């Protein structure tokens, strides 16, 4: 085997934990096309001639994403989606995944409907765990550009189903719309229900957006957060407070936040003591996988198995699941080491 192929298969085999994955955003395009075909929904505008998703920029990406969710209409569809997503992730060495689930796409944030969607996804996840050894937990996300009132409905769904499986609450969507504090009520409700918190910030917004997420929403993790690098005092605060960044390097490059991986700040943040983790965000949209992220980081920064091991340990610590689940995952990491 050639040396680079050997390296690639070693990196693919490393056990990985992924903390930042949008459930619908992980849908393989062929899966969405199949559902569109079954339901006679015309979605050709969101695919190119090779069958990949197409979009021009971040805001357009969000609208293509929402168009793809139009074919996901029932708990059964979300069960099939869960299976498709977990099969993909497991094939890249992922042993634990936290996906962002939005009740807005699952019965319009009605609590009764949401329970049915959730039940269907959990059943599919249980089977995937038996078949492929991958553990899934859910983080309910409200959607920023849908506004604070819809976010409250998502938070209510979250509070009603908080437990061993729904372990967190967060916010996704267009970071340029509204302010974190507009969503404080929803985050307070989720916190009181025992959920752990994360928020997208510092991807499109600068360092101030990260500060606002920390101060107004009191989150333990930040989705992206990479633009904190523009303010070294904030970087030091992240390091001191042990705030974990869910970094998605391939997503940032694909969407043009950074021109290429070598100019991405993940390595600078890590060297300055910030707890960084690695995720894919919306893998088929960004032409990535967890194995590809690892390969690219190896190539750009020389990350080796020791560094990837420390990244996995940080992700395990930062995971929102319970202590027993963590212990089982810790054993898997140790066995593989
Ligand atoms: N970023 C923000 N919001 C999103 C994303 C994303 O990558 N995917 C789906 N909603
Ligand atoms: Zn995201």
């Amino acid at each position: 085997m050639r040396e680079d192929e050997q390296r690639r298969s070693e990196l693919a085999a490393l056990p990985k934990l992924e903390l930042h994955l949008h459930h619908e955003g992980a849908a393989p395009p062929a899966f969405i096309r199949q559902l569109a075909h079954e339901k006679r929904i015309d979605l050709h505008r969101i695919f190119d001639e090779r069958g990949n998703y197409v979009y021009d920029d971040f805001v357009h990406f969000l609208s293509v994403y929402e168009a793809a969710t139009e074919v996901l209409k029932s708990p059964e569809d979300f069960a099939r989606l869960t299976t498709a997503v977990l099969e993909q992730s497991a094939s890249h060495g992922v042993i634990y995944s936290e996906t962002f689930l939005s009740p807005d796409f699952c019965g319009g944030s009605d609590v009764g409907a949401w329970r049915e969607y959730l039940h269907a996804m959990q059943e599919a996840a249980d089977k995937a765990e038996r078949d492929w050894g991958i553990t899934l937990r859910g983080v309910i996300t409200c959607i920023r550009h849908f506004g604070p009132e819809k976010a409250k409905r998502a938070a209510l769904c979250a509070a009603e189903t908080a437990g061993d499986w729904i372990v967190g609450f967060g916010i996704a969507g267009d970071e340029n719309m509204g302010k974190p504090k507009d969503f404080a009520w929803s985050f307070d409700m989720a916190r009181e229900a025992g959920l752990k918190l994360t928020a997208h910030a510092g991807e499109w917004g600068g360092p101030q957006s990260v500060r606002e997420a920390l101060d107004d929403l009191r989150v333990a993790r930040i989705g992206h957060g990479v633009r904190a690098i523009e303010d070294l005092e904030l970087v030091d605060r992240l390091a001191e407070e042990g705030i974990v960044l869910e970094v998605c390097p391939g997503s940032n490059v694909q969407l043009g936040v950074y021109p290429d991986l070598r100019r991405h700040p993940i390595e600078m943040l890590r060297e300055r003591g910030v707890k960084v983790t690695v995720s894919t965000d919306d893998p088929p949209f960004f032409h990535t996988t967890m194995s590809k992220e690892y390969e690219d980081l190896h190539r750009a920064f020389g990350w080796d198995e020791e560094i990837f091991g420390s990244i996995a340990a940080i992700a395990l610590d930062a995971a929102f699941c319970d202590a027993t689940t963590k212990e089982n995952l810790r054993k898997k990491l140790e066995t593989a080491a």
Side-chain angles (χ1 to χ4, degrees), residues 14 38 56 64 105 132 165 179 188 198 204 207 214 221 293 319 328:
L14 287 180
E38 287 171 22
D56 301 325
V64 167
F105 299 135
W132 303 312
W165 206 87
K179 287 280 184 195
D188 288 346
T198 177
W204 302 104
L214 294 175
R221 300 193 328 220
E293 294 293 330
N328 290 336

Side-chain angles (χ1 to χ4, degrees), residues 64-82:
V64 167
Y65 183 107
E66 279 159 32
T69 67
E70 281 169 31
V71 304
L72 297 161
K73 289 187 179 295
S74 67
E76 166 63 17
D77 294 338
F78 272 85
R80 288 168 65 186
L81 170 65
T82 302

Side-chain angles (χ1 to χ4, degrees), residues 312-329:
I314 290 168
L316 179 61
D317 250 16
F320 288 163
C321 61
D322 61 49
T324 313
T325 309
K326 282 194 188 190
E327 200 39 46
N328 290 336
L329 292 166

